Amino acid sequence: MSSYNVIPDNLKIIKDKIAAAEKNAGRKPGSVKLLAVSKFHPAEAVIEAAKAGQILFGENRVQEAFQKFPPICQKYPQTELHIIGQLQTNKVKHAVLIATTIESVDRIELIQEIEKQCARIDKKINILFEVHTGEDSKSGYTSRDLLIESLQACKDGKFPHVIPAGFMTMAPFTDDKALIRKSFVTLRKLAGELQEQFPSLNLTELSMGMSGDFEIAIEEGSTLVRVGTAIFGEREY
């Protein structure tokens, strides 16, 4: 067998670390979900993780995911796929066919296209609003007003196939833990304020934290951590 047989062990290590971080933060066991980021890894690696009981997977390249996941979802129907990378509107048509959640919604035009494509196939999909909190990437809402405009449109029923489920961010790529923590605190506070402002929407999901910083994210209220390398090893480009 290939190197993929270490995946179940890697998953257990990460899940144990998540459980320890929950406990240290005084949080309820099982309050944080694990999203296994499988981009650039072959279907065999995903199957190995699915066999070990992993349900949530994350991909950032729609074309790659579109080829990889349909057979896997057929074999393991409980599998859920999140699109986590910056999503171009011309890729939405394929994304909504395979994903249960799109985590990287950063503009209202993208929501309009998601609604259009979901209406076409009569499917509802969860979205997370990506917020720019100081990371190096260019994606994410940088304007609170534009974010509120998007939330208001969802509240007003303009996108009946789109279910706002919460928020997502990426911490800066740095060893400075104070900066990383600041990024997560920013999102947690913003999420709390916007949930108060839009009580009819259920904005409880906070997707923040990756392989190097998920323990800090859990301390700051993350409900979903995105881990790739620590589960699947280095990526095969």
Side-chain angles (χ1 to χ4, degrees), residues 33 35 37 39 57-61 81-87 101-107 110 126-143 147 151 163-172 180 182-192 194 202-210 213 217 220-227:
K33 300 187 287 288
L35 186 80
V37 178
K39 61 182 181 182
F57 293 90
E59 292 271 337
N60 73 339
R61 293 182 174 218
L81 176 65
H82 288 208
I83 299 296
I84 56 174
Q86 199 169 16
L87 183 59
T101 300
I102 294 174
E103 290 203 15
S104 43
V105 170
D106 58 359
R107 60 201 185 280
L110 186 56
N126 294 315
I127 64 164
L128 301 183
F129 298 92
E130 184 175 0
V131 180
H132 193 281
T133 58
E135 70 276 13
D136 306 321
S137 82
K138 300 288 186 288
S139 57
Y141 282 89
T142 51
S143 154
L147 179 53
L151 285 159
I163 304 163
F167 304 92
M168 178 262 229
T169 199
M170 288 172 68
I180 292 168
K182 186 181 171 201
S183 173
F184 298 148
V185 170
T186 299
L187 188 69
R188 172 168 51 81
K189 286 182 173 169
L190 178 67
L194 292 172
N202 184 21
L203 303 169
T204 51
E205 197 80 277
L206 278 188
S207 172
M208 53 189 200
M210 291 159 65
D213 56 25
E220 296 304 340
S222 175
T223 62
L224 183 68
V225 295
R226 310 181 300 271
V227 179

Side-chain angles (χ1 to χ4, degrees), residues 13-234:
I13 291 165
I14 295 298
K15 286 178 177 174
D16 288 348
K17 284 183 176 177
I18 289 171
E22 285 173 337
K23 194 177 175 187
N24 292 343
R27 294 182 57 184
K28 213 170 71 199
S31 57
V32 181
K33 300 187 287 288
L34 171 62
L35 186 80
V37 178
S38 49
K39 61 182 181 182
F40 301 123
H41 293 286
E44 294 80 14
V46 177
I47 289 165
E48 207 56 50
K51 282 199 309 206
Q54 180 60 25
I55 291 169
L56 295 176
F57 293 90
E59 292 271 337
N60 73 339
R61 293 182 174 218
V62 174
Q63 226 42 53
E64 183 191 334
F66 194 68
Q67 291 164 350
K68 196 157 67 181
F69 271 85
I72 294 169
C73 293
Q74 217 168 359
K75 194 172 181 188
Y76 300 95
Q78 75 276 30
T79 301
E80 291 186 30
L81 176 65
H82 288 208
I83 299 296
I84 56 174
Q86 199 169 16
L87 183 59
Q88 296 162 314
T89 45
N90 65 347
K91 298 277 169 52
V92 170
K93 185 179 178 179
H94 285 128
V96 300
L97 288 171
I98 51 170
T100 54
T101 300
I102 294 174
E103 290 203 15
S104 43
V105 170
D106 58 359
R107 60 201 185 280
I108 199 162
E109 294 79 12
L110 186 56
I111 309 174
Q112 289 162 344
E113 186 62 24
I114 293 168
E115 170 60 35
K116 178 180 152 188
Q117 298 301 339
C118 282
R120 212 171 48 84
I121 57 169
D122 195 22
K123 174 180 178 173
K124 291 195 170 180
I125 200 161
N126 294 315
I127 64 164
L128 301 183
F129 298 92
E130 184 175 0
V131 180
H132 193 281
T133 58
E135 70 276 13
D136 306 321
S137 82
K138 300 288 186 288
S139 57
Y141 282 89
T142 51
S143 154
R144 188 186 180 117
D145 289 345
L146 290 177
L147 179 53
I148 287 171
E149 185 193 324
S150 294
L151 285 159
Q152 186 66 47
C154 292
K155 176 183 171 279
D156 292 344
K158 290 184 179 168
F159 310 120
H161 295 84
V162 174
I163 304 163
F167 304 92
M168 178 262 229
T169 199
M170 288 172 68
F173 191 66
T174 173
D175 293 329
D176 186 336
K177 288 185 176 170
L179 275 179
I180 292 168
R181 189 179 299 277
K182 186 181 171 201
S183 173
F184 298 148
V185 170
T186 299
L187 188 69
R188 172 168 51 81
K189 286 182 173 169
L190 178 67
E193 289 163 12
L194 292 172
Q195 181 64 85
E196 255 177 54
Q197 196 173 337
F198 294 96
S200 64
L201 301 177
N202 184 21
L203 303 169
T204 51
E205 197 80 277
L206 278 188
S207 172
M208 53 189 200
M210 291 159 65
S211 289
D213 56 25
F214 69 81
E215 279 118 336
I216 300 173
I218 290 170
E219 282 174 29
E220 296 304 340
S222 175
T223 62
L224 183 68
V225 295
R226 310 181 300 271
V227 179
T229 310
I231 296 169
F232 295 108
E234 290 301 323

